[in-house]
Amino acid sequence: MKLKALITATSAAVLLVTTFGSVGAQPKPADNPRIVNIVNFIRDIEPRDGNITKDVLYQTVVSQIKLMKQYHLGGTFLLQYDALIDKRYQELLKTLPKDEFEIGGWWELPQPLIEKAGIKWRGKYAWDWHSDVGFSVGYTPAEREKIIDVYFTDFKKIFGYYPKSIASWVIDAHSLSYMYDKYKIVASANCKDQVGTDGFTLWGGYWNQAYYPSRVNAYMPAQHAEKQIPVPVFRMLGSDPIRQYADGRSVTTLEPVYTHAGGNEQWINWFFQSFANDSSLGFNYTQAGQENSFTWDAMKKGLEWQMPIIARLKKEGKVRVETMAQSGEWFKKTYKVTPATTFTVSKDLGESDKKTVWYNSRFYRLNLLWDNGNLRITDIHLFNETIPDKYLKDVTTVNQSFFYTLPVVDGFQWGKANKPEGFRLMMKNGEAEVPVQGGNPTFKNVDKNTARATWPVGSGSFEITMNEKSLTISTVNHPAGDWFLDLFVAENSKTAFKTVAENSAEYEFDGHTYRLATTEGTIEKTTNGSLYRIRPKGQRIVLTLADQ
């Protein structure tokens, strides 16, 4: 069903969403918090549209503050350097209560910052949004340090302290390490997963929530404390767990300017219902707010729907509303390494019957998607802390930047838009091979690192258990006879898969070789159009999901 049809559906299920009814027994919020950061970042100029003047940008921030105060919601304002040195923003933001609001840095790099660092400006405008000009990946590591020193020094002169939170669409490991080592920042944030949007590709990383990045790769979660930058990186924008992935070039997020998502009342109700009430391992996280470049007129309606819902959930004790720095400090106190987390959806928007769970650990991420009674594993990406990002020492010279992890299954890029492919759970039916058909899955947290999806099929069920380094699929009461996993991709897809060898699937991506192996079950070649097949042993498949 198309997204527009989903949003305009008026089924009883959607109407029930607006009541914020609970879904099953929930853990205590202190043990399993749902955290909301309201983050608005501020630019002082917008050269792409002559109607967006400095006054329009300023009044947008004034209106954001007014609405947040109306609902007694604190948050974080991040200043691009051109806004940092504007006295109007300085005076406005200094009036905010420090126990409710945080002022930090937005890491896009405009002309006055670059020139004060002694570097020639290469942009077309005083703020140029291109990756090779307006972002740290366009500058050498030595230049990045000079730029950071200028920003942090001037920030302290203005506000009396160094910023604790720095966020950007993309940020490199060298910059993030330098900001931590010298200035002790406690939180960062980067863009949601997307392919190519605005020149930024971040694909395959820790999905939502937050992670400790590798010292050599700001997008890659580290596996060991000594190899990580001890600054949690939160994922921005509040992605739709189903549609944002299914079309990785779209923007289906909590951003209030998008009328099919964060600017749509039914979508907002559905998103927060799932966020606050569906099963979640560790903690759940989302980021609300909007950059002032979109202007108040465009974001007003969406924010006026979102803010009272967030305030209500806060009052009910279902969510915590914090600044980025507060969340970063809590994360560092709670987790020594990147935790295991899940984001689940037990009831999709409108008449759609899709359900999903995203599982993350410091070793991999995985997505299970149920659609029309069938199950697919649409995504598996492995993490390896030793693989540097492309910009650790080099710069981008084009208006694009690319951050990746290691794909084992890539449902969007190896499928088609809105039709992600992946492992299908199949069975023999006579001579035919058909998808297993089942009912509605349920989700349960087993321990702090382990989550389980139970999928009823016939008189039995499949138990899908996700923990830090492995995925186990087992059965109860023989739900299907001869069952197996087949990895399907769209025709003519370019994948990282190379071959099946020694009971493992061999891969190569960006010059790095890795494999998917089983500790229970067998991997074999196929002739039915799939890349390969995994058969159970004794009604169990156990996949090792760590790049070793």
Side-chain angles (χ1 to χ4, degrees):
M1 183 177 288
K2 292 183 179 180
L3 182 61
K4 184 177 180 180
L6 290 176
I7 290 171
T8 56
T10 55
S11 64
V14 169
L15 295 175
L16 285 172
V17 163
T18 63
T19 69
F20 292 95
S22 62
V23 180
Q26 293 298 309
K28 295 178 181 179
D31 299 330
N32 185 245
R34 318 298 169 100
I35 298 172
V36 178
N37 288 165
I38 302 173
V39 180
N40 300 299
F41 56 90
I42 304 173
R43 302 185 181 109
D44 192 42
I45 56 172
E46 177 46 82
R48 294 170 292 186
D49 186 340
N51 294 318
I52 304 177
T53 64
K54 287 177 178 280
D55 283 341
V56 169
L57 292 169
Y58 177 78
Q59 290 302 325
T60 296
V61 180
V62 171
S63 297
Q64 289 173 329
I65 292 172
K66 182 179 179 181
L67 185 64
M68 292 168 72
K69 285 185 173 182
Q70 178 183 342
Y71 289 100
H72 307 286
L73 295 171
T76 298
F77 285 91
L78 302 177
L79 290 164
Q80 191 168 285
Y81 186 79
D82 49 344
L84 172 68
I85 59 177
D86 186 312
K87 289 191 180 298
R88 287 200 299 178
Y89 288 112
Q90 296 172 16
E91 293 169 0
L92 174 67
L93 297 177
K94 283 179 179 180
T95 67
L96 298 178
K98 292 184 179 180
D99 59 337
E100 297 176 38
F101 291 89
E102 172 196 10
I103 314 303
W106 179 249
W107 208 243
E108 291 184 55
L109 313 178
Q111 183 174 0
L113 174 59
I114 297 303
E115 291 183 339
K116 190 167 184 181
I119 302 166
K120 183 180 179 181
W121 177 245
R122 295 177 276 110
K124 187 176 181 180
Y125 309 101
W127 167 63
D128 191 320
W129 53 93
H130 294 96
S131 293
D132 55 330
V133 176
F135 292 85
S136 61
V137 293
Y139 298 86
T140 67
E143 289 173 331
R144 295 170 206 171
E145 292 181 10
K146 292 179 182 179
I147 296 165
I148 292 166
D149 287 341
V150 169
Y151 185 96
F152 276 72
T153 298
D154 287 358
F155 189 102
K156 187 175 183 180
K157 286 179 183 177
I158 293 163
F159 289 104
Y161 55 88
Y162 292 128
K164 292 184 176 182
S165 299
I166 301 287
S168 182
W169 298 128
V170 295
I171 192 165
D172 65 283
H174 185 89
S175 295
L176 204 57
S177 292
Y178 188 77
M179 291 175 186
Y180 170 75
D181 292 337
K182 186 168 183 178
Y183 297 104
K184 302 305 177 186
I185 65 169
V186 300
S188 186
N190 62 14
C191 187
K192 72 185 188 318
D193 265 33
Q194 61 182 32
V195 177
T197 305
D198 296 328
F200 309 122
T201 291
L202 304 91
W203 196 253
Y206 196 99
W207 197 89
N208 207 57
Q209 277 91 317
Y211 64 96
Y212 288 121
S214 161
R215 276 277 182 179
V216 300
N217 192 327
Y219 185 62
M220 184 79 74
Q223 286 74 61
H224 302 90
E226 64 271 18
K227 297 288 184 70
Q228 69 191 18
I229 304 171
V231 175
V233 175
F234 294 89
R235 304 308 305 274
M236 295 170 59
L237 306 181
S239 290
D240 185 315
I242 295 173
R243 281 158 287 275
Q244 176 59 41
Y245 180 80
D247 184 358
R249 292 183 174 87
S250 73
V251 182
T252 309
T253 68
L254 197 56
E255 293 172 274
V257 296
Y258 295 107
T259 56
H260 62 281
N264 181 279
E265 188 174 16
Q266 289 182 325
W267 187 94
I268 295 165
N269 283 329
W270 165 79
F271 179 86
F272 279 111
Q273 155 69 12
S274 185
F275 174 78
N277 293 306
D278 276 337
S279 174
S280 178
L281 180 68
F283 76 103
N284 211 350
Y285 175 83
T286 198
Q287 183 201 96
Q290 189 79 70
E291 64 208 85
N292 65 337
S293 292
F294 277 108
T295 76
W296 182 245
D297 286 345
M299 69 182 73
K300 177 177 183 289
K301 184 176 290 186
L303 288 179
E304 287 179 344
W305 280 323
Q306 291 181 26
M307 293 300 118
I309 292 173
I310 295 170
R312 186 191 324 173
L313 292 171
K314 177 185 176 184
K315 184 176 181 181
E316 293 172 355
K318 290 186 174 181
V319 305
R320 294 184 349 206
V321 180
E322 300 175 344
T323 65
M324 273 184 61
Q326 288 170 339
S327 297
E329 288 164 349
W330 168 84
F331 189 98
K332 290 186 69 172
K333 186 180 298 183
T334 306
Y335 302 115
K336 301 306 179 187
V337 293
T338 296
T341 63
T342 61
F343 193 132
T344 64
V345 174
S346 64
K347 172 66 185 77
D348 196 12
L349 183 64
E351 297 175 354
S352 168
D353 73 340
K354 292 177 181 175
K355 289 101 182 156
T356 197
V357 56
W358 282 95
Y359 177 90
N360 301 282
S361 78
R362 57 197 161 119
F363 297 96
Y364 72 98
R365 81 174 193 185
L366 176 143
N367 179 244
L368 305 177
L369 178 68
W370 286 265
D371 185 14
N372 294 321
N374 303 143
L375 168 63
R376 291 187 186 181
I377 303 173
T378 66
D379 189 277
I380 301 174
H381 279 75
L382 305 183
F383 305 145
N384 184 321
E385 65 195 3
T386 68
I387 298 175
D389 67 48
K390 295 176 182 293
Y391 315 106
L392 183 65
K393 297 180 180 179
D394 296 327
V395 302
T396 183
T397 58
V398 297
N399 180 28
Q400 294 186 76
S401 54
F402 303 92
F403 291 85
Y404 293 108
T405 61
L406 301 175
V408 173
V409 179
D410 194 330
F412 169 61
Q413 297 211 90
W414 301 352
K416 295 181 179 179
N418 296 309
K419 293 182 179 179
E421 281 290 359
F423 277 119
R424 302 181 192 176
L425 187 55
M426 307 282 288
M427 63 180 288
K428 286 291 290 264
N429 183 10
E431 294 300 313
E433 296 177 349
V434 298
V436 174
Q437 193 79 19
N440 293 327
T442 58
F443 308 111
K444 178 183 179 182
N445 297 337
V446 178
D447 58 40
K448 66 178 183 178
N449 293 318
T450 309
R452 178 175 297 138
T454 299
W455 185 33
V457 174
S459 59
S461 64
F462 283 90
E463 302 280 334
I464 304 159
T465 304
M466 299 151 277
N467 64 29
E468 272 201 313
K469 290 187 178 182
S470 67
L471 173 72
T472 301
I473 302 176
S474 58
T475 64
V476 176
N477 293 333
H478 302 286
D482 184 3
W483 62 273
F484 46 87
L485 293 173
D486 274 4
L487 178 53
F488 285 94
V489 299
E491 188 176 359
N492 299 321
S493 293
K494 183 180 179 181
T495 76
F497 171 71
K498 292 302 180 183
T499 189
V500 170
E502 298 179 355
N503 197 39
S504 67
E506 308 291 331
Y507 289 81
E508 182 179 348
F509 183 78
D510 267 4
H512 184 79
T513 58
Y514 53 104
R515 67 192 185 107
L516 176 68
T518 64
T519 55
E520 295 185 48
T522 58
I523 298 179
E524 59 189 46
K525 296 179 180 179
T526 58
T527 59
N528 66 347
S530 64
L531 296 186
Y532 59 87
R533 176 170 295 175
I534 305 177
R535 289 189 179 276
K537 180 179 180 181
Q539 293 294 300
R540 281 167 60 90
I541 291 174
V542 181
L543 302 179
T544 299
L545 297 178
D547 185 29
Q548 300 175 337

